[in-house]
Amino acid sequence: MEKKDENISAMSTVAVGEAGRTGDWRDLKPVINHSKCIPTVKNKAACYLCWLYCPEGVIKTGIPVEIDMDYCKGCGICAEECPAKAISMVPEGDNDE
Amino acid sequence: MSKTIIMTGNTAAATAARLCRVQVIAAYPITPQTSVTETLSQYVESGELPAQYVRVESEHSAMTVCISASTVGARAFTSTSSHGLLYMHEQLHWAAGSRLPIVMCCVNRGVGAPWSIFNDQQDSIAQRDTGWIQLYCRNNQEIIDTVIQAYRIAEEVYAPVMVCYDGFVLSHTMMPVAVPQADMVDSYLSPYRPHTILSPDNVRNINPVMFAVLRKNSAGVLCDGYMEMRYKLQEALEKAREVIVEAGRKYSELTGRDYREMLWSYQDKDAEIILTGMGSIASEATVAVDMLREAGIKAGVVGIRVYRPFPRAEVQKALGKAKAIIVLEKDISYGYEGALCSDIKAALYGTAINAPLHNIVAGLGGRDVKASEICEAVKKSLAEMKGQESRFKTHWLNCRQ
Amino acid sequence: MPENLFKVKKEEYMLPGNRACQGCGLSLAYRYATKALHQKTILTIPASCLTVLHGLYPTTSVMIPCLNCTFASTAASAAGLVAGLAATGQTDTTVVAFAGDGGTYDIGIQALSGAAERGTDFIFACYDNEGYMNTGTQRSSATPLGALTTTTPILTKVQHKKDMLKIMEAHHLPYIATTSPAYPIDLYDKFVKAKRIVGTRYLQIQAPCPPGWGYPPRDTVKIARLAIETGIFVLFEIEDGKFHFTSRSKTIAQRGRRLPVVNYLEKQERFQKMSMDQIESLQKMVDSKWQEYQKKAEG
């Protein structure tokens, strides 16, 4: 017989955004200067220390590097750890692109 | 079908666990329960019982091991007494809240301070509100039979069951016990199926933080709040009455021993004075009833086998014709009266029954309770009950005051 | 670095939008621990910051099945899972307990010692954020000397941190390791290794906590790195009793140069009331620990 939950005790199922859109927590947002970002500059998969050190796992290791702003909490670790100083933390609402 | 063997209450409990083919045992030594777990160790190490035996470092861990093992689908067993049970307190709530059909024997013993290794029922009574079903035994035959029924009840209701019996009085006393055949027990118990999934193939987070309010899941379905979970447990224990009765009826059919009611009785048909209680003190009361009848007092006994869920309707019926009620018990709710006494009074509230009722607190910390002493106490109460102001009273039997 | 980095699974098993604080050291560490553990693992966790990270009913942010347990019971809960899985023939599953320092050093130590002594086949990971952070930064036995907490608010903590690793070492375990979110690959490797070993495996992660330690969230990795550079926290493994330095601590041991502890202390508000005597005492403690480790490493 197939197992099923009787739903008589508390159990949770998996979903992204358990705490909602945690991007709303930010007051500073990371902005990547792709002219300095190593994967873009070298045009190959390289560095990605921002991905490595992101406590949220919201950075994608592509060319260019992308950050999921829906869930980035804006801690700024990526900016601190970027060896090329390609990421700056900018107040939310500032026009930065 | 069955074989009668002379054994102690603790051997009866261990034998029952073996017959139920428990898969995980976790236990910690405490007097007077210890020989249950020693006997089970013999079964497991000799290969007679293929179970995982976890020799834990505390009772808190014993109950924890049962909780986790039961969650992943293993039939789990433990037993304890007194401070061991109190040390489990947090985990008793957790087991019931997780709706796990763990069966535990509580070999009733007094609670410190000061230390007492001897019998009373303060330990299990103190765990009354943890969400466990509580069954009380009056002899060793009932211990083996009740443990077997307990798994059937627990696994149908998804609530843990505590099988309580008096330390030393039963645990260390040899009595003839009809041991059921293994195949009878196998036919009586279906294999245990866990009610939730804890498997790498299907991710769940079991027993997370829960809010007071109802919250939606990711599919937009409005799920229960904390209070709904509590209600479900209450509902389960209320429903357990039917399950207990049905489990008893089926067991009675198979064995010819009568477990059809949540109460048992002795000489109650024409009784005007009803003595009631749980476990061996109720058993002793039957001897007192014989003495009272010799003295011309029409007394009878109504024994409480199931304490939680409380057999409210059955108690109302059984005490309906009583002209006086005596509640004997080995516990005290400090600052009030015996816990069973309060429960019986509450069951009678709003009914036509308005018999005088005395509570006799007896045998704390193993103080001997003789049938003759019960007999004399009942006579004294009956005399007092004639006075309007002494219709309800608590006496401490055989206690210097 | 990239070659090393790409051996780590790209898939995330700790999902975004979870309830961990900005810049949480545990969150960063857990991201790699879950990458290493995700296959055929059941977790059990006590009340802690991790309970919050796993999420509120009815949703969870972690893609590994998890059984929540009471604060004191973590290792016993794991032992019950191991016994239950064995009894029901589900023997290919790794049981992992993950507790904070309160749940390990303090209230959880009895169950942990019991499970370890019995040789229970499981991983116990302690994420050490050096205090009761989930309840708002109270002192634990893992809080270091001189730290301000809400229960040592004026005089600071007057005792040194308990040496939990030594206690676990006394249980003769097949595998003990320390690891840090400043070195995610090292952390990942140690969990992968621990998963393959049979018996009780103990891992201790230093988990910097921005609100509890008093530093900006962006500095979590820097703080964790400084802990290693100063020798406040040392990366090592003890395999079947054999000690060896790993990762950055190995390099430091070879070069023989550590930064003074004050470099680490000055970055955190919790140490702002530390006296010169306390700093000296901590430096001495760190020096003598380091010497002890070096002796062990030499065999």
Side-chain angles (χ1 to χ4, degrees), chain B residues 86-398:
Chain B
L86 304 193
Y87 195 36
M88 284 180 183
H89 178 70
E90 171 186 41
Q91 300 307 84
L92 298 185
H93 279 282
W94 201 264
S98 310
R99 303 295 302 278
L100 298 170
I102 298 160
V103 171
M104 167 168 64
C105 285
C106 171
V107 186
N108 289 113
R109 165 183 155 183
V111 166
W115 283 118
S116 168
I117 60 159
F118 300 108
N119 166 243
D120 66 41
Q121 294 175 346
Q122 192 72 24
D123 50 359
S124 56
I125 290 292
Q127 306 309 314
R128 183 188 66 179
D129 299 333
T130 53
W132 282 60
I133 291 169
Q134 284 197 357
L135 309 176
Y136 285 78
C137 307
R138 61 181 149 148
N139 57 44
N140 295 358
Q141 184 68 59
E142 283 196 2
I143 294 171
I144 199 167
D145 292 341
T146 306
V147 169
I148 295 166
Q149 290 173 63
Y151 275 107
R152 184 167 163 136
I153 297 161
E155 290 171 9
E156 190 168 338
V157 177
Y158 286 117
V161 178
M162 198 183 296
V163 176
C164 307
Y165 58 92
D166 291 305
F168 297 110
V169 182
L170 299 183
S171 68
H172 287 65
T173 305
M174 303 282 265
M175 294 178 193
V177 172
V179 178
Q181 294 273 14
D183 56 355
M184 185 229 103
V185 179
D186 288 341
S187 72
Y188 181 72
L189 298 176
S190 310
Y192 165 45
R193 291 167 47 78
H195 68 78
T196 191
I197 300 164
L198 188 63
S199 150
D201 308 326
N202 207 336
V203 173
R204 298 278 184 274
N205 183 31
I206 296 181
N207 293 324
V209 179
M210 204 159 181
F211 271 14
V213 294
L214 280 68
R215 301 178 83 232
K216 282 183 185 167
N217 67 13
S218 54
V221 179
L222 194 65
C223 295
D224 290 329
Y226 178 85
M227 202 159 162
E228 281 70 26
M229 285 298 165
R230 292 289 78 98
Y231 180 75
K232 283 180 174 176
L233 178 56
Q234 163 69 358
E235 208 180 23
L237 258 75
E238 292 277 5
K239 182 197 152 204
R241 289 193 184 88
E242 289 164 35
V243 177
I244 292 165
V245 169
E246 175 55 22
R249 190 193 61 74
K250 179 80 183 159
Y251 196 83
S252 305
E253 256 174 36
L254 291 169
T255 61
R257 292 186 290 278
D258 190 0
Y259 291 97
R260 288 170 301 169
E261 306 283 344
M262 287 192 278
L263 311 176
W264 56 267
S265 57
Y266 177 76
Q267 295 275 39
D268 68 323
K269 293 287 172 285
D270 63 339
E272 294 174 349
I273 318 300
I274 296 285
L275 278 60
T276 182
M278 304 192 291
S280 62
I281 196 167
S283 223
E284 197 64 26
T286 61
V287 183
V289 158
D290 291 344
M291 294 174 175
L292 288 164
R293 284 193 174 252
E294 273 172 33
I297 298 167
K298 279 190 183 169
V301 177
V302 170
I304 311 280
R305 194 166 72 82
V306 180
Y307 181 55
R308 281 294 179 277
F310 194 71
R312 185 195 305 115
E314 291 77 3
V315 164
Q316 288 170 356
K317 201 174 153 208
L319 302 182
K321 285 186 227 143
K323 290 186 177 145
I325 300 163
I326 305 287
V327 183
L328 296 155
E329 60 190 304
K330 293 184 170 183
D331 65 89
I332 177 71
S333 174
Y334 295 104
Y336 199 31
E337 59 192 4
L340 178 63
C341 176
S342 296
D343 285 330
I344 285 179
K345 281 182 182 171
L348 301 182
Y349 185 79
T351 67
I353 307 160
N354 191 25
L357 186 152
H358 275 201
N359 187 195
I360 298 178
V361 172
L364 300 189
R367 180 151 302 179
D368 201 17
V369 183
K370 294 191 183 76
S372 59
E373 288 166 347
I374 295 174
C375 181
E376 288 314 307
V378 170
K379 285 179 186 168
K380 188 181 155 202
S381 278
L382 291 176
E384 284 178 358
M385 281 169 179
K386 288 181 182 134
Q388 201 49 242
E389 66 280 13
S390 294
R391 283 169 50 81
F392 301 97
K393 216 169 166 181
T394 300
H395 287 292
W396 284 55
L397 184 73
N398 195 12

